[in-house]
Amino acid sequence: MAIKVLRPVLLAAAAVLVLSTGLAVGADTTADDAYAAGSPVPAAEIPAAPGKTVSPVGALFANGSHFCSASVVHSGTGDVVLTAAHCVRNGMSFAPGYHDGVAPVGMWTVTGTTVAEGWTSSADPDLDFAFLTVRQPGNPASLESLTGANTLGVNRGFDHRITLTGYPDTTDSPVVCDGTTTRSDTYQMRVACPGFPDGTSGGPWVTGGEVIGVIGGYQLGGDTPDVSYSAYFDDDIAKLYATATG
């Protein structure tokens, strides 16, 4: 079965900030394995933030092709993007609101990455999240001022109704699904949403204007396109966010 992204991760040590968390891989739980499949949503219905015309969700590019998904997360500087740690590599750029081959506010160059030390040292799936800093040469505006942003939701529990968005690497438009999350492991969540294959890694799990997960974690986001996973957002991502925005 396919995983969410198959390409190798390349990390430039000089570009990566790390934070020691000491978090161990979660043990199995006895949570109920039953969960209902989510409902696909037409891509045209992807909402922009209030007062904005471009979605904060977009595609990550490298070497001319998009390979992962990401989204703008609120910050004081307005230049922070959230994705999965296994998506991080050299030479990335971000296209918010990307659709049908069009980047409505252009490409934004990734100038810095922040991942957890536990991911860098051992690819801990419970730490499969990353913050990116972006800029657009010659543009004095912040990215968030153009797209809006979701706020980071931390320690929100495991059961939510979410909107999941991602960019399959074989298409130029996003897939969207409304689904219900459940607990999969001590530090993992899952959601049954059909049609989230390679390229959708890093796609945000959004509820009530907060992003509470990204496609990643177990099996780099899942071993089937119809069930996606996320590392649970707890104090570890809060500390990482503080490092990225400090």
Side-chain angles (χ1 to χ4, degrees), residues 82-102:
L82 173 65
T83 189
H86 74 260
C87 289
V88 174
R89 64 197 62 198
N90 296 327
M92 293 185 294
S93 57
F94 176 59
Y98 182 73
H99 63 89
D100 302 316
V102 176

Side-chain angles (χ1 to χ4, degrees), residues 53-55 95-97 102-108 136 139 143 146-147:
T53 59
V54 177
S55 171
V102 176
V105 291
M107 304 294 287
W108 292 71
Q136 190 176 68
N139 187 351
L143 176 56
L146 302 176
T147 64

Side-chain angles (χ1 to χ4, degrees), residues 111-172:
T111 58
T113 62
T114 307
V115 299
E117 182 179 317
W119 175 264
T120 304
S121 62
S122 61
D124 184 343
D126 297 335
L127 299 171
D128 192 3
F129 37 70
F131 294 101
L132 315 176
T133 303
V134 299
R135 69 179 180 89
Q136 190 176 68
N139 187 351
S142 71
L143 176 56
E144 187 173 340
S145 71
L146 302 176
T147 64
N150 297 305
T151 57
L152 184 66
V154 177
N155 291 319
R156 296 296 191 252
F158 291 86
D159 301 318
H160 295 276
R161 189 70 179 171
I162 65 162
T163 297
L164 180 65
T165 308
Y167 284 81
D169 60 10
T170 57
T171 69
D172 281 332

Side-chain angles (χ1 to χ4, degrees), residues 34-232:
Y35 50 97
S39 303
V41 177
E45 295 182 13
I46 300 173
K52 309 297 179 182
T53 59
V54 177
S55 171
V57 184
L60 284 175
F61 284 75
N63 300 318
S65 300
H66 63 87
F67 64 95
C68 267
S69 306
S71 63
V72 184
V73 64
H74 174 66
S75 66
T77 53
D79 61 357
V80 178
V81 173
L82 173 65
T83 189
H86 74 260
C87 289
V88 174
R89 64 197 62 198
N90 296 327
M92 293 185 294
S93 57
F94 176 59
Y98 182 73
H99 63 89
D100 302 316
V102 176
V105 291
M107 304 294 287
W108 292 71
T109 302
V110 175
T111 58
T113 62
T114 307
V115 299
E117 182 179 317
W119 175 264
T120 304
S121 62
S122 61
D124 184 343
D126 297 335
L127 299 171
D128 192 3
F129 37 70
F131 294 101
L132 315 176
T133 303
V134 299
R135 69 179 180 89
Q136 190 176 68
N139 187 351
S142 71
L143 176 56
E144 187 173 340
S145 71
L146 302 176
T147 64
N150 297 305
T151 57
L152 184 66
V154 177
N155 291 319
R156 296 296 191 252
F158 291 86
D159 301 318
H160 295 276
R161 189 70 179 171
I162 65 162
T163 297
L164 180 65
T165 308
Y167 284 81
D169 60 10
T170 57
T171 69
D172 281 332
S173 293
V175 290
V176 186
C177 177
D178 289 336
T180 300
T181 64
T182 60
R183 188 172 192 164
S184 172
D185 203 343
T186 305
Y187 300 110
Q188 295 282 321
M189 299 189 298
R190 68 183 168 195
V191 62
C193 272
F196 280 76
D198 295 357
T200 57
S201 283
W205 302 30
V206 177
T207 181
E210 290 188 330
V211 55
I212 61 167
V214 294
I215 296 178
Y218 172 73
Q219 293 285 356
L220 303 184
D223 55 7
T224 167
D226 297 332
V227 179
S228 296
Y229 293 81
S230 172
Y232 181 63

